[in-house]
Structures are given as C-alpha cells and as structure tokens.
Amino acid sequence: MLLDHVQYNMILQIKNVNIGIDLDEILADTVREFLNYSQTKFDIKLERDWLYNYFLQDVKESWINKEQFFGLWKGFVEAGHTRNIAPIKWSYELLSHLKNNWNKIFVITGRHNFEKTNTEYWLNKNYPNLVDDLIFTNFLSSDMRLKSEYINKYEIKLFFDDIYDFCTDVAVNSNIPVYMPTKPWNVHYQDLPQNIIRIDSLETLLV
C-alpha cells in the first residue's frame, strides 16, 4: 500500500491533472436508499451488506429481471429520490483534496441522460464548485459507452470506482491507477490487475 500511496501522491503533486470519479457508492450512498425504495415497491427485502452483485437483476434473491430493475430505477429517479441521497462519508473531503493544484474533477457515472437534472442538483448541493464535468455512460441502455472511452478522451490520470467490471475496463483499456473502495459486491474479487488498488475507505487517501 505504501507504493500505491507514493504513486497517488506523485500524481497529485502535478498541476492541472484530470481526475475521474464514479458517482454512486463513491460519492452517493445510493444502494441503501434504493433498497429502501425497492422494498416498498416490490417487497424486495435485501440488506446492503448481503449484496454480492451491485445490480439487483443479478441477485437471485431479488426475483426481478433486467427490465424490472431498469423500471424500478427509473421510478426511483422520477420520484426525486436521487436528489436526497446522503453523501458517502469522507467523499467531500476527498474531492476537496483532489481539487488541489487546479486539478479538474470529472464525475463519470453509469447513470442515464434523463437523470441529468437531479444529478446536477445533488452534486451542486453536496459538492459545490468541486466538479468540473459530469458524464453519463447510460448503463443498461442501447447508448451505453465504456468509461474508458471518456478516460482516454479527456486524458484522465486517476480514477475511482466501486464496480469491479468498470474498474477493470479502465485499468486495462486506459492503463491508469484505479482506486476501488471495498464494498459487499466487490469484496470477493481477488488477484486484482496491478493498477487496481483496493482501499478500505476514502479516508485512506486523506492521510
């Protein structure tokens, strides 16, 4: 971990670095809120710590398919719940830390274009003047794009995500350091690619 911190600190010593960060479960405590909503709509009784997969359609105990999951998420958004999600602990401090030396922060999320208004509202409320650009990759839609495409386009040098497949995409196709905070849905992945660095919490990177 010491070497990983040396690499991280070296990147942050450089001025005007572009840094990418995921939104849900890196900045926003989304899963907890979404599970509460899912229980009221589908009587899906799941605890956050039980989730071995981030996406409910891939959790057999949820008994819903891809279309139902997307419809459930769309209802969650349209009801305004994404405007009131609590921030992840230490996320504000991390973004403030990353913003040093005139760095630019790109939030690259799997959310969809129709979520733009609520997402921008939430970011401005919780991280004022810290985010330079917001990019939607439209996961689970025909317009889906890989996060690595935007990492390469904007020459981003450092990335944060919690979903193993997204971390691997960036690690392999963009060849930059990717920090992956441990979550129930990624804890079982071992033997990570060399440039995926697992951390216990965002606080780890504030020391």
Side-chain angles (χ1 to χ4, degrees), residues 15 43 57 63 72 80 113 128 144 154 161 173:
K15 294 184 178 181
D43 197 28
Q57 77 271 19
W63 307 110
L72 189 61
N113 293 328
M144 178 183 170
Y154 294 107
D161 209 311
N173 295 317

Side-chain angles (χ1 to χ4, degrees), residues 6 11-12 30 37 43 47 52 56 67 69-70 76 79 105 107-108 111 119 122 133 154 156 188 199:
V6 169
I11 291 172
L12 293 188
T30 306
Y37 177 80
D43 197 28
E47 296 291 337
Y52 51 84
L56 288 190
E67 289 72 26
F69 172 74
F70 188 75
F76 179 72
I105 305 296
V107 172
I108 305 176
R111 291 187 185 184
T119 304
W122 187 87
D133 204 351
Y154 294 107
I156 289 169
H188 53 283
I199 56 176

Side-chain angles (χ1 to χ4, degrees), residues 155-207:
E155 299 182 345
I156 289 169
K157 303 301 182 186
L158 191 68
F159 190 60
F160 299 80
D161 209 311
D162 61 295
I163 298 178
Y164 175 77
D165 288 347
F166 296 165
C167 291
T168 302
D169 161 48
V170 173
V172 172
N173 295 317
S174 301
N175 194 31
I176 63 170
V178 180
Y179 285 85
M180 185 177 75
T182 296
K183 306 283 183 176
W185 45 89
N186 69 38
V187 69
H188 53 283
Y189 290 103
Q190 304 298 323
D191 300 321
L192 302 175
Q194 185 175 6
N195 48 338
I196 295 180
I197 302 106
R198 183 186 292 282
I199 56 176
D200 292 331
S201 76
L202 301 182
E203 184 184 14
T204 305
L205 298 174
L206 294 174
V207 296

Side-chain angles (χ1 to χ4, degrees), residues 44-60:
I44 299 171
K45 297 178 181 178
L46 292 173
E47 296 291 337
R48 181 181 181 277
D49 291 344
W50 299 351
L51 292 185
Y52 51 84
N53 194 300
Y54 182 83
F55 303 105
L56 288 190
Q57 77 271 19
D58 295 320
V59 177
K60 64 180 181 180

Side-chain angles (χ1 to χ4, degrees), residues 7-203:
Q7 184 182 35
Y8 169 80
N9 288 325
M10 285 178 63
I11 291 172
L12 293 188
Q13 290 296 321
I14 305 170
K15 294 184 178 181
N16 298 311
V17 171
N18 291 342
I19 298 171
I21 190 161
D22 179 39
L23 176 61
D24 295 304
E25 291 300 315
I26 300 293
L27 301 179
D29 194 8
T30 306
V31 169
R32 202 179 313 275
E33 189 75 22
F34 183 61
L35 287 178
N36 290 338
Y37 177 80
S38 301
Q39 183 168 344
T40 64
K41 290 295 182 181
F42 272 79
D43 197 28
I44 299 171
K45 297 178 181 178
L46 292 173
E47 296 291 337
R48 181 181 181 277
D49 291 344
W50 299 351
L51 292 185
Y52 51 84
N53 194 300
Y54 182 83
F55 303 105
L56 288 190
Q57 77 271 19
D58 295 320
V59 177
K60 64 180 181 180
E61 292 85 357
S62 73
W63 307 110
I64 63 173
N65 59 33
K66 177 181 175 181
E67 289 72 26
Q68 289 171 320
F69 172 74
F70 188 75
L72 189 61
W73 175 261
K74 190 172 182 181
F76 179 72
V77 173
E78 291 175 346
H81 291 287
T82 52
R83 297 169 68 90
N84 300 306
I85 297 171
I88 292 286
K89 188 176 182 180
W90 301 111
S91 59
Y92 179 84
E93 291 82 358
L94 177 64
L95 278 195
S96 299
H97 181 59
L98 295 174
K99 192 69 174 173
N100 288 338
N101 284 338
W102 300 280
N103 295 329
K104 290 185 177 180
I105 305 296
F106 292 73
V107 172
I108 305 176
T109 174
R111 291 187 185 184
H112 309 83
N113 293 328
F114 73 84
E115 304 177 58
K116 181 178 180 181
T117 299
N118 284 351
T119 304
E120 287 181 339
Y121 170 86
W122 187 87
L123 285 171
N124 289 332
K125 179 175 72 171
N126 292 286
Y127 308 96
N129 303 314
L130 290 178
V131 175
D132 295 282
D133 204 351
L134 171 61
I135 298 167
F136 298 90
T137 64
N138 297 292
F139 185 72
L140 293 180
S141 79
S142 59
D143 299 325
M144 178 183 170
R145 305 290 293 272
L146 293 174
K147 293 191 176 186
S148 60
E149 294 181 42
Y150 296 102
I151 299 291
N152 297 336
K153 178 179 179 179
Y154 294 107
E155 299 182 345
I156 289 169
K157 303 301 182 186
L158 191 68
F159 190 60
F160 299 80
D161 209 311
D162 61 295
I163 298 178
Y164 175 77
D165 288 347
F166 296 165
C167 291
T168 302
D169 161 48
V170 173
V172 172
N173 295 317
S174 301
N175 194 31
I176 63 170
V178 180
Y179 285 85
M180 185 177 75
T182 296
K183 306 283 183 176
W185 45 89
N186 69 38
V187 69
H188 53 283
Y189 290 103
Q190 304 298 323
D191 300 321
L192 302 175
Q194 185 175 6
N195 48 338
I196 295 180
I197 302 106
R198 183 186 292 282
I199 56 176
D200 292 331
S201 76
L202 301 182
E203 184 184 14

